[in-house]
Amino acid sequence: MYSIRWNHSLFFIFLFVIYSKNILFANSLTGTIFGRIVSTEGENLYGAHVVISSLNRGALTDDSGFFFITKVPFGIHRIIASYVGFEPETRIVEVREGEPVQMLFYLKGTSFQIDPVIVTGKPYASNVLDTPQDVSSLSGREKQKSESISLGNLVASLPGLSNISTGAVAGKPVIRGQTGERVLILSDGISQEYQQYGERHSPTIDAFGYERIEVIKGAASLLYGSDALGGVVNLLHHPYHFANDNEYAVDGSFTGGYFSNSNAYTTGLMFNGSSEMIAFRTSIVRKKSDNFHTPDTDPYSVTLQRNDPKFTGEIPNTNFEQLNGSFGVGMGTSLGIFSVDYDHFFNKNNFLLPDGNPIGVRLENQIFNAKGNIPLGKFIVKPKFSIQRNERLATRGGLTYPMLPDSAAVDLVLNVYTMRTEIENVDVFGLSGTVGGEIKYYDHENVGIVPLQPTGNFTNYALFVFEEWKKNSFTVSFGTRFDFRDQIFFGTTTNPLLLKDDHRNYSNLSGSVGTAYQLTDQFTITGNISRGFRTPSFFNLFVYGEHGGVFSFQIGEPNLKNETSLELSTSLRFKNERVNGNVNLFQNAISNYIFLYSAPQHPFAPVGKPYIVAHDQADAAVRGVEVSVDIFLIQWLEVSSSYSYIIGEFTSGPHMNNELPLMPPHKGLFGVKVILPDISNISSPYLSFNSKFVAGKNAAGFYEPFAQFDDGFGFNIPSGVCSTEDYAVIDFGIGFDVKNGRDPVTFDFLITNLTNEIYRDFLDTYKGYALAPGRSYNVRVTIPLNN
């Protein structure tokens, strides 16, 4: 079955390549954009970025601040100039026959790192300050310093985001209290599936090979469909840069990192190269870790005090290893840019079970993306074709990952094929935006002996339109999307919920309306109304089996309906030379919210299983506030702070007015960065102090994951907890650059949990029987490899 589908995919790839090859030899329909980027003080900005957002193509300035971009297809383009330490600038130009476009950018210095544009959740690339949606991003040196094993931990420092963790290896982003099947992970705008229904099922994608990460906080179903009800995390590659005529360029970097707590290391290589018409990028990263350590304190077996942890010190069976990589090729043609990207993620790890035994896991994920950017006057056609293959293997309890694949009890294979086309319009009748369609084929097969998720497939068809109107200081965005899903599950004698084939379909209409108004040069106010949705997953409907990673027997509900949401949000943004601040308020009303509850009396509950959970749904609401501010008190002293307050509760059903499960506790972050003077070849040295204050939180009830570790939920487990107390941790860092020709060597040293605080985090899935990690000494070095 799979070989046929892969052959079909290879046929599409073949057509894509042949078509691109023919374009390479088409008649010349291109022009040139050239110019210079300087500061407002007249300083040449060497190494500044110039990006043609419609083509996902860029260039760098030389030591005189000049740039040249040749063979730019005729049409209207957005040009974005950016440089570290300066505010980006965007302009619209038209490239015509025989008329080279000359540009001169004067960039204004700023103390803050500002991404030049945001592309996620927007009808087109635009300034983050003008977008009605709440969007955060992570890139550049800040991303480099924060690089982590898991995606969830990497983005957890952004306002409104948290992380469901399981040691260092597993981390799932939580956006305003939503995670898993309500938060989409994207690779260059294409949704990725990773069997995300489990609390310990983290995204199978490595951020190392991507330039930046953008996060939409709130419903984003308009552009991305089902599962974007709570938000989106989009990983974006760097735009392709092409060399000038008859030139060649190759550069790269080596990154090494060490984390003492678990004796973990990372080593990575990245290379980029280009000629006049061809550009490439590649990366490979190796990560390996022993068991992690908590502070050395007496466990329950010594203290005999209820709720003390069962394991302390070195936590057994928490080791892992990964080998991940990517490769991409872009072709500059007379009609546009065409590219092919391949990402490979390969992970092997152990999880610790409450009885001290391991369970071994092996994850492999492959992503192939082919896409084009074709300007046609005021329009840019953007075809995309994606293939994803994901496989999850797990042993039964007591076996480690070296026993895989031979001893796999769980073997779930997923193949996803996506064809998507967007037509971006630039200033047509005063509107700029995108119209598009998408077809997604999802095929899941349960190969293992544990009938966790059934075999089946679906095809999802979608049409959408998203436009934006801008007049002076006023921006309005609006759009709508229609989805239709046709799916089938194949009957099996091992699942009493699915004794025969089940064929059904779902449909949904979603949309969004938002405004942004610039009150003054420094203040912007926004408002947004979004309708999102989530179709019940295969797991929600028909799961019937023991989920070893979370030690429970899980049962589906075949009568579940679509989840739908209506989110209202507003924000006030302030920015000047010294202060950058945001206040965000939101409320998300969710109809038919799907959740798991303790179900020992379920009619299909198996005999002899200690913890049985089943699916149900009821209406719910999530509301909250996010506040963040960065202040340069003086030129060398930056203070940053953020606070997130989120409340979620049921608004109907037997649990009405009770809290929703997996809601993050209230969290405050506070940081101080001292910028030191340069010393000889040492530039940009800094000291940083960062603290995190997290409130205590009680389990929502018997439907809270891992509730069995709290007293009073039907189990007498003397050690461990589900509810957690408040805590505070402090990190200390130091870093600097070493001048090394064009690009510096960067060095960052960080001590996490400086005081070796003893605590348990509410969203840590090990909290039932282990503490959170103790102190760690971490170091990261990046060395440029330039020609």
Side-chain angles (χ1 to χ4, degrees):
M1 179 170 62
Y2 297 119
S3 62
I4 294 175
R5 292 189 181 121
W6 277 102
N7 287 338
H8 283 171
S9 302
L10 292 174
F11 175 71
F12 282 117
I13 296 169
F14 176 76
L15 290 180
F16 187 90
V17 172
I18 292 299
Y19 178 61
S20 300
K21 181 179 179 182
N22 289 335
I23 289 174
L24 286 172
F25 297 100
N27 292 327
S28 177
L29 299 171
T30 64
T32 299
I33 298 176
F34 71 99
R36 190 180 179 195
I37 302 178
V38 298
S39 70
T40 50
E41 287 76 30
E43 177 188 0
N44 300 327
L45 298 183
Y46 166 66
H49 286 272
V50 184
V51 175
I52 308 175
S53 62
S54 58
L55 299 178
N56 195 33
R57 175 182 175 182
L60 295 174
T61 57
D62 61 20
D63 54 6
S64 297
F66 287 102
F67 66 89
F68 297 87
I69 307 178
T70 60
K71 294 183 172 56
V72 180
F74 295 157
I76 296 177
H77 303 280
R78 281 187 180 85
I79 312 299
I80 302 149
S82 64
Y83 190 69
V84 176
F86 290 80
E87 294 185 6
E89 184 177 341
T90 301
R91 297 184 193 173
I92 296 178
V93 301
E94 183 173 3
V95 178
R96 299 174 179 151
E97 184 176 3
E99 298 180 19
V101 177
Q102 182 175 2
M103 308 186 74
L104 177 60
F105 290 95
Y106 289 97
L107 300 189
K108 181 181 179 182
T110 179
S111 302
F112 305 103
Q113 177 177 316
I114 302 176
D115 278 320
V117 294
I118 291 293
V119 301
T120 310
K122 292 285 294 177
Y124 61 90
S126 59
N127 192 318
V128 65
L129 297 176
D130 297 333
T131 176
Q133 295 85 2
D134 293 328
V135 183
S136 294
S137 62
L138 190 64
S139 64
R141 184 68 182 273
E142 290 304 311
K143 174 180 176 291
Q144 187 182 82
K145 289 192 298 184
S146 305
E147 286 283 6
S148 177
I149 303 299
S150 73
L151 180 62
N153 189 57
L154 176 59
V155 301
S157 61
L158 297 174
L161 272 73
S162 301
N163 175 37
I164 295 180
S165 64
T166 309
V169 67
K172 300 181 68 171
V174 181
I175 304 176
R176 293 179 173 174
Q178 306 303 313
T179 188
E181 295 179 306
R182 298 184 184 93
V183 170
L184 266 184
I185 307 299
L186 309 179
S187 172
D188 282 331
I190 296 292
S191 63
Q192 302 301 307
E193 304 284 347
Y194 57 96
Q195 327 236 19
Q196 54 263 38
Y197 44 81
E199 283 79 12
R200 293 179 173 175
H201 293 196
S202 59
T204 49
I205 191 168
D206 196 316
F208 176 77
Y210 291 83
E211 180 202 17
R212 71 183 192 276
I213 302 170
E214 296 180 354
V215 180
I216 300 178
K217 294 179 286 186
S221 295
L222 171 57
L223 284 180
Y224 306 112
S226 180
D227 292 11
L229 181 146
V232 161
V233 179
N234 191 9
L235 290 85
L236 296 158
H237 284 112
H238 197 287
Y240 284 105
H241 289 185
F242 293 88
N244 294 324
D245 294 354
N246 302 318
E247 293 182 359
Y248 298 89
V250 177
D251 59 25
S253 64
F254 166 82
T255 297
Y258 179 74
F259 309 86
S260 70
N261 180 276
S262 58
N263 191 33
Y265 70 83
T266 65
T267 53
L269 284 170
M270 299 181 68
F271 284 99
N272 303 279
S274 65
S275 65
E276 182 183 354
M277 293 191 300
I278 301 293
F280 78 90
R281 58 184 173 223
T282 185
S283 69
I284 186 168
V285 59
R286 166 76 169 166
K287 304 177 180 180
K288 193 174 189 302
S289 174
D290 297 334
N291 298 325
F292 77 85
H293 292 71
T294 74
D296 286 320
T297 185
D298 290 336
Y300 171 79
S301 60
V302 174
T303 66
L304 299 181
Q305 296 293 316
R306 291 192 72 86
N307 305 132
D308 277 356
K310 186 174 183 178
F311 303 98
T312 62
E314 181 177 353
I315 306 302
N317 302 313
T318 57
N319 56 311
F320 67 89
E321 55 185 297
Q322 293 181 4
L323 181 62
N324 310 320
S326 65
F327 180 77
V329 177
M331 295 175 288
T333 76
S334 59
L335 292 187
I337 304 296
F338 297 84
S339 62
V340 174
D341 290 281
Y342 173 77
D343 282 61
H344 187 215
F345 177 94
F346 186 64
N347 169 89
K348 296 182 288 186
N349 73 276
N350 292 317
F351 285 135
L352 175 66
L353 298 178
D355 60 7
N357 281 319
I359 186 169
V361 175
R362 192 179 87 168
L363 308 172
E364 186 170 14
N365 190 67
Q366 300 177 72
I367 307 169
F368 170 87
N369 286 335
K371 58 185 179 181
N373 295 66
I374 309 168
L376 297 172
K378 290 190 174 184
F379 300 91
I380 303 101
V381 181
K382 300 181 176 181
K384 296 181 180 179
F385 174 64
S386 175
I387 307 169
Q388 182 194 6
R389 180 176 174 85
N390 182 282
E391 185 172 17
R392 173 177 290 272
L393 292 92
T395 68
R396 64 179 185 274
L399 299 179
T400 57
Y401 69 72
M403 305 299 294
L404 295 170
D406 296 338
S407 298
V410 173
D411 190 351
L412 305 174
V413 180
L414 178 63
N415 289 279
V416 183
Y417 308 85
T418 305
M419 297 186 68
R420 179 184 178 102
T421 297
E422 298 179 35
I423 302 175
E424 180 180 318
N425 55 282
V426 182
D427 194 21
V428 177
F429 303 114
L431 298 175
S432 294
T434 188
V435 177
E438 180 181 88
I439 301 175
K440 179 177 181 178
Y441 179 77
Y442 173 110
D443 183 271
H444 180 272
E445 184 175 7
N446 191 338
V447 181
I449 59 176
V450 175
L452 189 61
Q453 178 169 290
T455 296
N457 61 67
F458 71 72
T459 304
N460 194 92
Y461 307 89
L463 294 172
F464 55 88
V465 57
F466 193 15
E467 296 290 335
E468 188 169 280
W469 175 82
K470 189 169 185 177
K471 183 72 171 180
N472 298 325
S473 300
F474 194 61
T475 301
V476 178
S477 65
F478 55 92
T480 188
R481 175 183 174 119
F482 178 75
D483 284 80
F484 176 82
R485 177 173 296 188
D486 183 72
Q487 62 188 33
I488 185 169
F489 308 92
F490 299 111
T492 173
T493 58
T494 61
N495 187 340
L497 304 175
L498 190 62
L499 295 176
K500 61 180 182 178
D501 292 355
D502 182 280
H503 182 250
R504 60 179 69 190
N505 55 66
Y506 295 90
S507 62
N508 194 83
L509 184 68
S510 53
S512 176
V513 177
T515 64
Y517 181 68
Q518 190 171 354
L519 299 169
T520 68
D521 291 340
Q522 299 175 338
F523 280 101
T524 299
I525 187 171
T526 73
N528 197 66
I529 303 174
S530 298
R531 177 177 170 84
F533 79 100
R534 181 174 82 88
T535 298
S537 67
F538 288 21
F539 177 82
N540 299 147
L541 294 166
F542 290 113
V543 60
Y544 190 80
E546 189 158 4
H547 198 167
V550 292
F551 33 92
S552 63
F553 191 96
Q554 299 178 324
I555 303 174
E557 172 49 66
N559 297 314
L560 294 176
K561 302 176 182 178
N562 272 352
E563 287 184 343
T564 58
S565 71
L566 182 65
E567 181 174 75
L568 309 178
S569 65
T570 184
S571 69
L572 180 64
R573 301 165 186 166
F574 177 85
K575 180 182 176 298
N576 64 15
E577 290 80 4
R578 289 184 175 271
V579 181
N580 187 8
N582 292 273
V583 178
N584 301 312
L585 302 172
F586 65 91
Q587 173 160 318
N588 195 359
I590 306 173
S591 300
N592 302 317
Y593 181 91
I594 299 171
F595 63 99
L596 284 165
Y597 69 98
S598 179
Q601 305 303 318
H602 194 282
F604 292 116
V607 177
K609 298 297 182 182
Y611 194 61
I612 299 168
V613 295
H615 284 81
D616 198 359
Q617 59 186 171
D619 296 341
V622 180
R623 62 186 182 276
V625 58
E626 301 155 2
V627 181
S628 64
V629 61
D630 292 320
I631 305 174
F632 270 85
L633 296 178
I634 48 182
Q635 189 174 4
W636 52 268
L637 182 62
E638 179 185 7
V639 176
S640 61
S641 181
S642 68
Y643 179 72
S644 300
Y645 178 93
I646 299 173
I647 292 291
E649 61 185 12
F650 289 104
T651 57
S652 72
H655 313 300
M656 185 172 177
N657 297 324
N658 290 340
E659 194 168 11
L660 298 178
L662 285 177
M663 286 292 107
H666 313 320
K667 180 178 69 172
L669 303 176
F670 180 79
V672 175
K673 183 177 180 181
V674 180
I675 301 170
L676 303 173
D678 293 353
I679 305 173
S680 185
N681 286 334
I682 303 298
S683 63
S684 305
Y686 70 87
L687 299 175
S688 66
F689 300 86
N690 293 287
S691 55
K692 177 170 67 173
F693 304 90
V694 180
K697 189 169 180 63
N698 293 323
F702 60 82
Y703 46 80
E704 183 80 62
F706 313 106
Q708 64 266 42
F709 291 101
D710 266 1
D711 295 337
F713 286 111
F715 295 88
N716 184 20
I717 303 176
S719 61
V721 296
C722 181
S723 302
T724 56
E725 298 178 350
D726 55 349
Y727 69 88
V729 293
I730 300 172
D731 300 339
F732 168 74
I734 182 172
F736 53 86
D737 297 347
V738 179
K739 296 177 182 178
N740 180 47
R742 192 182 75 184
D743 297 311
V745 175
T746 64
F747 176 90
D748 297 289
F749 175 73
L750 178 67
I751 305 175
T752 57
N753 195 358
L754 179 66
T755 60
N756 210 30
E757 180 75 13
I758 296 173
Y759 73 98
R760 281 173 281 203
D761 187 83
F762 187 77
L763 296 180
D764 182 356
T765 68
Y766 278 145
K767 65 183 178 181
Y769 42 100
L771 297 172
R775 184 189 298 115
S776 183
Y777 300 93
N778 310 329
V779 62
R780 180 179 294 273
V781 178
T782 299
I783 304 172
L785 305 172
N786 298 325
N787 60 345

